[in-house]
Amino acid sequence: MTDITNTPGADGGDALVTAFNAVGADYIFCSSGSEWAPVWESLARRHRDGLPCPQYLDLTHETVAVGMATGYGLVERRPQGVLLHAAPGLLQGSMAVHGALLAGVPMVVSSSESTTYGDGPGQDPGGQWYRNLSVVGGPHQIAQPFTKWSNEAASVHTLPTMVTRAAELAWRAPAGPAYLNVPLEILLEEWDGREAKPIVRPGSTHSSPEEVDPVAQLIREAENPVIVTETAGREAGGFEALVAFAEAWNIPVVEPDSAVCGNFPRTHPLHAGSDIGPWMDEADLILLVNCRAPFYPPSRRPSKATIVVIDEVPQRPHVVYQVLFADRYLEGNVANTLRQLAKRAKDLDEAAVAVRRAAQEQRHADEQAAIAAAETKAAQAEGVDPVLVAATLRKLLDGQGGIVVDETITHSRVVKRHVQTADPDSYFYVQGGLGQGIAVALGVKLAARERPVVLTIGDGAFTYNPVIPSYDASNAYELPLLIVVFNNRVYKSMNMNHRRFYPEGAAADTGEWLGTDLHRLPRLAAFAEPFGMHTETVDVPEALAPALERALKAVAEGTTAVVDVLVTR
């Protein structure tokens, strides 16, 4: 069958580690599988000999590995390495890989299979591949639908440059995960040492003055323009550029419910809330800035507005059905485009600007009054209202430079509206399916160790998370989080849909609401106790602020804290 004697010297494991070095990966996020022994040996050799290599994170669940790479990439915006175990491991992590695609996070994901099944020369890969791990066509076929690019390294000699290619594709717009299948035989094969060239940041593209000038004129002539954005803050400098652009022209900014990160200070007078509805008939110019799905239903077209789309890749290849109603496109680096437009904010009709400024000031004042009224009502309510939780978090995080990672569903609007993040990279909404929030928050903390990181999460989403592997990673790599559970003891969104579709159905008649009850779950904070973490359960309003204060103090001292808040709705 095969020679099982270990061949000394450089092999495919060295080639892969060298490639991730060239890519500039800070970390290799690994959910271990037996095929990665060549990588482990290479890392051990490099550690022994004092040679450079990415830091290796040994993680115990695929969602944790990919989710942490996602969170890290949200802040750092550079591709990292992710190693999963064979096709089953890839399938286990596929939801998180798809989430990284939706979030626009670059990474190189790899898993491995045998290609000889013990019948070829060289070392014996092991019978598990032949019996139950292999997938027809290889795992790169599986990964194709939820990655930007998916391929296989066919030779140890092309492996480093294949990793380089995967990283370069992952980093370029629209950024996202690339997948590379690295067969076990390639990892075990002797390598000649040729290294990949280090990659550099992608170059910037620009809209030409001939394209920007007419759009500036449209803004100059508009009486009631509005900016709508989902992910302007995902680009380096995009948050700041959007603020400068909106202020230069005095244009309100709407962050719809589909916004996936903080794009504009929610405390800013030009922030116009989350509802695009009032603008559908009133606006005469809508500027869609990094906005993949602004209208719902998609056929809901603004009645009179000219629509300008500002986006490096307006038509997102991974979005199955996308309707923008664009009249003009400004394609190129969004931050650069916004800066160009801000410089052209000259010769404005001051009377028209004054009218829309006054209108926006009134909208902003009304919204702030509504927020204050909602918080007063929540403070006077029996039980713990979700608004009180979000408002308390805002007060406690004020001036702390905190980052909020959100994996709530029915409470997501409450979190955005009342936590009111105002800084770049201070809010991220978990993409692509529930069950990733703790891992994404850990990755964010890995990239921003000096900032407090808070995960807001529903009780249903919490139960989807690989909680034990996530807590293990938090302790192992000293990544303390504040986890705040909005626990209403029900899958509320599921129940709401049942009631919406069948308002007078059998369930409404009998009270038999299936698929929604979570009262049977034990105390959610208790799962953290074996890990030595700080835990609190809150069920009365007066206990909320002290519990969160104690929890934040524990986090500042290096311990993850879990506060399970029994909310009223």
Side-chain angles (χ1 to χ4, degrees), residues 119-292:
D119 277 344
Q123 298 192 59
D124 183 0
Q128 70 272 23
W129 306 99
Y130 178 56
R131 297 186 185 106
N132 68 349
L133 287 179
S134 64
V135 172
V136 175
H140 50 294
Q141 300 289 344
I142 294 173
Q144 191 170 12
F146 51 85
T147 56
K148 277 189 67 179
W149 177 83
S150 178
N151 213 322
E152 178 179 82
S155 165
V156 70
H157 305 300
T158 60
L159 175 57
T161 47
M162 286 290 277
V163 173
T164 297
R165 173 164 165 74
E168 289 182 336
L169 285 166
W171 208 354
R172 278 152 178 80
Y179 173 80
L180 188 63
N181 175 24
V182 186
L184 177 54
E185 288 80 357
I186 301 299
L187 289 170
L188 293 168
E189 189 176 343
E190 187 176 349
W191 176 49
D192 62 9
R194 69 182 89 173
E195 297 189 12
K197 181 182 181 297
I199 65 171
V200 296
R201 287 184 173 277
S204 294
T205 57
H206 299 263
S207 295
S208 69
E210 290 78 13
E211 295 168 317
V212 175
D213 286 340
V215 171
Q217 188 60 29
L218 286 174
I219 302 173
R220 197 171 286 111
E221 295 170 354
E223 293 184 2
N224 199 14
V226 65
I227 298 164
V228 183
T229 183
E230 293 175 341
T231 61
R234 280 291 299 114
E235 289 200 18
F239 187 101
E240 297 88 343
L242 182 59
V243 172
F245 168 57
E247 289 178 344
W249 292 92
N250 263 284
I251 304 176
V253 178
V254 173
E255 287 185 286
D257 291 334
S258 52
V260 302
C261 62
N263 304 289
F264 196 83
R266 296 192 74 89
T267 54
H268 196 289
L270 287 173
H271 198 287
S274 301
D275 186 9
I276 194 176
W279 303 92
M280 296 299 284
D281 293 324
E282 297 176 9
D284 56 355
L285 178 65
I286 296 178
L287 300 147
L288 300 180
V289 181
N290 266 23
C291 207
R292 60 186 174 176

Side-chain angles (χ1 to χ4, degrees), residues 27 55-59 68 441-453 469-482 531 533 554-561:
Y27 292 94
Q55 184 173 339
Y56 176 86
L57 300 186
D58 208 351
L59 305 165
M68 286 185 66
L442 288 170
V444 169
K445 182 64 176 179
L446 185 66
R449 287 182 178 270
E450 74 288 355
R451 299 173 67 181
V453 176
S470 298
Y471 287 169
D472 172 63
S474 175
N475 273 0
Y477 298 107
E478 299 179 343
L479 301 171
L481 305 174
L482 170 57
F531 292 90
M533 295 174 173
V555 171
E557 293 172 351
T559 302
T560 284

Side-chain angles (χ1 to χ4, degrees), residues 272-344:
S274 301
D275 186 9
I276 194 176
W279 303 92
M280 296 299 284
D281 293 324
E282 297 176 9
D284 56 355
L285 178 65
I286 296 178
L287 300 147
L288 300 180
V289 181
N290 266 23
C291 207
R292 60 186 174 176
F295 311 118
Y296 189 84
S299 59
R300 185 189 182 197
R301 182 169 191 154
S303 60
K304 62 183 180 181
T306 298
I307 298 174
V308 177
V309 173
I310 302 173
D311 200 322
E312 191 162 6
V313 185
Q315 299 296 336
R316 306 291 171 87
H318 60 266
V319 176
V320 176
Y321 184 61
Q322 186 181 17
V323 181
L324 299 175
F325 297 121
D327 295 298
R328 286 181 180 269
Y329 288 105
L330 286 182
E331 299 182 44
N333 180 273
V334 169
N336 286 337
T337 301
L338 294 176
R339 292 185 194 107
Q340 288 189 59
L341 286 169
K343 292 177 181 177
R344 288 164 169 78

Side-chain angles (χ1 to χ4, degrees), residues 107-129:
M107 64 180 67
V108 178
V109 181
S110 289
S111 66
S112 179
E113 266 192 22
S114 172
T115 53
T116 64
Y117 309 108
D119 277 344
Q123 298 192 59
D124 183 0
Q128 70 272 23
W129 306 99

Side-chain angles (χ1 to χ4, degrees), residues 67-124:
M68 286 185 66
T70 298
Y72 189 82
L74 285 170
V75 177
E76 293 294 338
R77 299 177 173 87
R78 292 183 287 105
Q80 305 298 311
V82 179
L83 304 183
L84 305 179
H85 177 40
L90 177 61
L91 288 170
Q92 180 74 34
S94 60
M95 180 186 70
V97 178
H98 179 244
L101 181 69
L102 297 180
V105 174
M107 64 180 67
V108 178
V109 181
S110 289
S111 66
S112 179
E113 266 192 22
S114 172
T115 53
T116 64
Y117 309 108
D119 277 344
Q123 298 192 59
D124 183 0

Side-chain angles (χ1 to χ4, degrees), residues 375-394:
E375 292 179 2
T376 298
K377 181 180 178 182
Q380 297 170 349
E382 293 187 12
V384 185
D385 191 282
V387 168
L388 180 63
V389 182
T392 304
L393 277 173
R394 182 190 71 240

